[in-house]
Amino acid sequence: MAKSELIEGVEARRLANAVRALAMDAVEKAKSGHPGMPMGMADAATVLFSRFLKFDPADPAWPDRDRFVLSAGHGSMLLYALLYLTGYADMTLDEIKRFRQLGSKTPGHPEYGHAEGVETTTGPLGQGLANAVGMAMAEAHLNARFGPELVDHRTWVIAGDGCLMEGISQEAISLVGRHRLNKLIVIWDDNSISIDGAISLADATDQKARFVASGWNVLSCDGLDAADVGRALEAATASDKPVLIACKTTIGFGSPKKAGTAHAHGEPLGSEELALTKSALGWEYSPFETPEDVLTAWRKIGARGAAQREAWAGRLKQSPSKAEFLAAINGDNVDAGLAALAEHAAKVAQAKPSLATRASSGAAIEAMFAAVPELVGGSADLTGSNLTRPKTGATDFKPENRSGRYVHYGVREHAMAAIMNGMALHRGIIPYGGTFLTFSDYSRPAIRLAALMGVRVIHVMTHDSIGLGEDGPTHQPVEQLAALRAIPNLLVFRPADAVETAECWQAALANETGPSVLALSRQATPALRSDASDNLSARGAYELLPAEGGAARVALFASGAEVALAVQARELLQAEGIPTRVVSTPCFELFDVQDEDYQDEVVGSPDEVRIGVEAGIGQGWFEMFALSDFIGMAEFGASAPAKDLFAHFGITAEAVAEAAKALLA
Ligand SMILES: Cc1ncc(C[n+]2csc(CCOP(=O)(O)OP(=O)(O)O)c2C)c(N)n1
């Protein structure tokens, strides 16, 4: 590294050593963590933060800041050290000392919402890279919508070998390559080491060739040479395509015994080696101490962005689009969308269409799309099946039309979900995307992170049961609803008819603190509701039909397309003089948070026979509604017409009525 490289009067290496020292000390104190990556990448990150990244610690959420994503989340101390050194108010030295402790702003992996400057939760490798693609897409879209005066920033990523080995990376890089989003710059920590040892144990990919093949520009640099890193980053900012910078580093750089080995990856150096390392780096300060000249220089670096932010604020003030821009960033148009959906629900309550709920969802999207310009839809190559594309108002997002509000994600369910997370985190976009419910398994890791982060992402998942018929068991979800319901802070909706579908869309759109899944039928369902004045689905479960001829002896609980079947079963039972009521259960999670009185009222008296009906597994049903029995699936489906399958698996009105009578006997 060129010794002469000076930043704010201090040698770049000395600035980087402050990052290294904090990372080593924090991991040592916590007795756990990953020092190797921050030690290897400290020089490159120093160059990025001091010379390229547009940020202002005094206003961390400034909308036109560059986004920085530490995809290699195990190296979290790299980010925490940089946030502390550059002067983010909430990242105090105490927080650094509380690394990995309960309630700290410095959890083991960066978690969105804990400390300012952490743009996304990373740790599950590859997710951050795909989030960054979503952020870059959001930037490009909003840049087209509001112009460069208000939106003109880059997305920078530090990714490791692990991120690049994960399958999601290929999904993400090929999509962004196709879109030629040149403001995305990925700095690859090319250190040839992961946990088990050398990367060559498990991978011989020519990564540079892979990125080139996916439509990227690829640059290389010596990650331990600030001048060389600066040269590469400078070149990257002039690219006409997304850029990968292969940044050659040494894991655990500075450690005499551990550098360049997997031993530096994920364990404290140990006091002896730590002392040897500091001495090798010429760092003669006590634990957690950053010498004044170094801290002053870092704080000056942190203060530089204020001028850019103020200039931007001035432009915003003058802009005729100011109100529209702020409404977009703050999600203020959601109210108009909710109103449009309420109007739509009232119409379908009158019209009473018999439609597949996927078609009702398409109509709901159509109804609100114009009212909420922030909605950006898409599908993982199933547009015609998911019915996610409104007939009016949606054009394709593409290089020639970045203001397009419809994304063809290609066959990339996992990246689609992670990209939507990135869009939502960026703000200014409310993403929704479609696939088949059975492939929620492919999206699941990213859905889980959306739930953990608490971001509004809406998944439209159609073909939600054996009711899809002939495509067979590979495509028929059985355990997916239960599996999704197991994710905390995720709302899983399964509407029964057109009114409920509009209501569920309303609840999903209003859910700004977490993701939602809309599970929708391929097959038509009859209209069940004729009044949409109150959003009953938002209560999670409600009595659709009361018992007649006395107190209910049977209560049938059903979701989605099976509600109509429960209604038929009720008719059979009522015809035999058995008072039976039907409860529709579009969203377990929302029912679970209703007050106890309401829950008791819906669940009913212990004297009733209570049967659940859903063409999926019964897991979760018995506890939620204190059931006596459940009619559903206990095995995989089969390839046949839907009607035959329901008969074959015993999910029929007759079977429900028989089960009720058996329990009453
Ligand atoms: C999806 C996922 N799988 C596994 C892990 C566990 N893990 C954390 S770091 C790591 C190795 C990463 O290697 P690399 O990216 O080269 O990081 P470095 O060793 O250079 O720090 C693994 C397997 C994880 N965090 N996420």
Side-chain angles (χ1 to χ4, degrees):
M1 174 171 160
K3 282 230 157 97
S4 56
E5 182 81 13
L6 288 182
I7 302 171
E8 295 292 351
V10 177
E11 266 180 32
R13 170 54 58 82
R14 215 166 125 74
L15 294 177
N17 282 344
V19 174
R20 288 190 174 94
L22 286 170
M24 288 189 283
D25 289 341
V27 171
E28 202 66 24
K29 181 159 191 290
K31 300 195 181 66
S32 76
H34 303 77
M37 184 277 196
M39 292 167 73
M41 282 298 285
D43 297 298
T46 295
V47 175
L48 171 61
F49 272 65
S50 64
R51 290 185 46 197
F52 294 91
L53 192 74
K54 181 167 77 163
F55 70 108
D56 181 5
D59 187 359
W62 161 33
D64 199 32
R65 69 193 181 283
D66 283 358
R67 304 302 193 268
F68 171 67
V69 174
L70 185 70
S71 190
H74 57 281
S76 56
M77 263 315 301
L78 178 79
L79 178 54
Y80 301 151
L82 289 162
L83 296 177
Y84 161 67
L85 291 167
T86 53
Y88 282 75
D90 65 344
M91 188 55 74
T92 61
L93 194 55
D94 275 351
E95 292 293 348
I96 301 280
K97 289 179 182 167
R98 295 207 305 137
F99 181 49
R100 295 183 153 238
Q101 305 309 303
L102 192 65
S104 74
K105 289 187 183 293
T106 49
H109 296 83
E111 289 187 53
Y112 179 67
H114 285 231
E116 302 283 8
V118 174
E119 301 280 5
T120 179
T121 294
T122 53
L125 298 171
Q127 294 288 334
L129 177 56
N131 293 161
V133 168
M135 292 174 186
M137 288 170 78
E139 193 275 344
H141 177 73
L142 295 170
N143 170 280
R145 184 174 168 198
F146 293 106
E149 298 280 288
L150 298 186
V151 183
D152 186 9
H153 52 265
R154 294 196 164 80
T155 304
W156 304 86
V157 180
I158 289 181
D161 300 296
C163 293
L164 300 198
M165 275 192 271
E166 289 290 351
I168 193 174
S169 72
Q170 185 54 36
E171 294 183 27
I173 71 169
S174 55
L175 184 67
V176 79
R178 186 270 170 259
H179 285 293
R180 300 203 295 270
L181 294 175
N182 63 336
K183 289 186 194 164
L184 176 67
I185 301 172
V186 175
I187 305 171
W188 164 34
D189 178 16
D190 179 11
N191 65 17
S192 308
I193 291 288
S194 67
I195 293 179
D196 277 6
I199 296 298
S200 59
L201 287 170
D203 199 35
T205 303
D206 181 340
Q207 293 289 2
K208 296 182 200 172
R210 177 167 80 109
F211 276 77
V212 168
S214 300
W216 291 49
N217 278 328
V218 173
L219 303 167
S220 303
C221 70
D222 176 349
L224 297 168
D225 179 337
D228 201 37
V229 172
R231 174 198 54 75
L233 266 56
E234 190 73 51
T237 61
S239 171
D240 57 349
K241 297 175 183 171
V243 186
L244 176 80
I245 302 176
C247 187
K248 206 74 185 137
T249 67
T250 303
I251 192 167
F253 177 79
S255 164
K257 293 206 184 81
K258 295 190 172 178
T261 76
H263 297 292
H265 168 90
E267 60 199 57
L269 293 178
S271 56
E272 202 177 309
E273 185 64 11
L274 196 153
L276 289 174
T277 305
K278 283 191 176 171
S279 140
L281 292 171
W283 195 259
E284 55 215 11
Y285 311 102
S286 37
F288 298 103
E289 182 187 352
T290 304
E292 209 182 309
D293 64 319
V294 175
L295 189 59
T296 304
W298 266 118
R299 291 287 152 91
K300 280 190 189 159
I301 290 165
R304 282 181 190 165
Q308 278 172 303
R309 197 247 308 158
E310 280 158 20
W312 175 86
R315 291 196 298 277
L316 179 67
K317 212 170 161 188
Q318 302 295 320
S319 169
S321 310
K322 181 183 171 190
E324 193 189 337
F325 177 80
L326 292 176
I329 295 297
N330 297 326
D332 294 343
N333 295 317
V334 162
D335 287 347
L338 297 177
L341 283 168
E343 205 177 300
H344 169 71
K347 273 190 208 151
V348 292
Q350 291 291 311
K352 295 194 191 309
S354 277
L355 284 176
T357 54
R358 63 176 169 142
S360 293
S361 166
I365 292 169
E366 185 93 38
M368 69 179 157
F369 203 67
V372 191
E374 292 68 45
L375 279 169
V376 170
S379 168
D381 201 38
L382 287 169
T383 296
S385 298
N386 302 143
L387 302 175
T388 32
R389 187 192 175 98
K391 290 187 197 75
T392 46
T395 57
D396 288 347
F397 176 84
K398 53 187 177 183
E400 309 74 44
N401 181 37
R402 300 219 196 272
S403 54
R405 292 172 59 195
Y406 197 79
V407 181
H408 291 280
Y409 285 99
V411 191
R412 298 182 178 97
E413 298 82 8
H414 193 183
M416 175 174 73
I419 286 169
M420 291 199 291
N421 290 352
M423 289 177 171
L425 287 162
H426 180 280
R427 300 190 76 89
I429 289 191
I430 299 174
Y432 70 89
T435 184
F436 288 155
L437 180 61
T438 196
F439 303 134
S440 62
D441 291 343
Y442 278 47
S443 315
R444 189 177 176 85
I447 297 176
R448 181 176 192 270
L449 283 172
L452 178 61
M453 291 189 275
V455 291
R456 175 166 41 200
V457 173
I458 302 170
H459 294 269
V460 177
M461 297 197 158
T462 68
H463 296 60
D464 68 349
S465 77
I466 52 166
L468 67 86
E470 294 83 348
D471 271 348
T474 54
H475 284 48
Q476 292 161 355
V478 172
E479 75 283 19
Q480 278 71 17
L481 285 166
L484 290 167
R485 287 175 184 140
I487 298 179
N489 197 36
L490 170 67
L491 299 185
V492 182
F493 294 97
R494 191 161 184 258
D497 73 350
V499 171
E500 276 199 9
T501 305
E503 290 178 340
C504 290
W505 255 111
Q506 266 191 317
L509 186 61
N511 177 26
E512 56 182 334
T513 56
S516 302
V517 169
L518 292 153
L520 303 163
S521 72
R522 175 184 182 229
Q523 75 276 29
T525 61
L528 298 169
R529 288 265 302 280
S530 49
D531 177 14
S533 53
D534 194 9
N535 186 337
L536 298 173
S537 301
R539 307 202 80 172
Y542 65 95
E543 190 172 275
L544 175 71
L545 291 173
E548 281 168 21
R553 295 184 63 207
V554 175
L556 303 177
F557 297 78
S559 83
E562 285 76 68
V563 179
L565 191 148
V567 169
Q568 285 170 17
R570 173 182 174 274
E571 278 161 24
L572 295 175
L573 291 163
Q574 285 283 161
E576 295 191 36
I578 303 170
T580 301
R581 63 193 185 94
V582 173
V583 173
S584 180
T585 65
C587 182
F588 282 23
E589 298 77 21
L590 289 179
F591 183 63
D592 206 30
V593 296
Q594 300 302 308
D595 62 54
E596 228 173 284
D597 288 350
Y598 179 76
Q599 288 177 347
D600 290 348
E601 192 187 310
V602 171
V603 170
S605 122
D607 302 337
E608 294 170 5
V609 158
R610 276 190 285 272
I611 300 180
V613 193
E614 183 171 78
I617 61 168
Q619 198 174 313
W621 273 87
F622 283 86
E623 309 86 81
M624 188 61 64
F625 300 108
L627 296 185
S628 331
D629 200 359
F630 177 78
I631 305 281
M633 297 290 291
E635 59 192 304
F636 291 120
S639 171
K643 206 163 149 283
D644 297 348
L645 291 173
F646 280 102
H648 176 75
F649 289 105
I651 307 175
T652 61
E654 292 74 19
V656 174
E658 286 310 316
K661 285 192 282 184
L663 285 163
L664 285 170

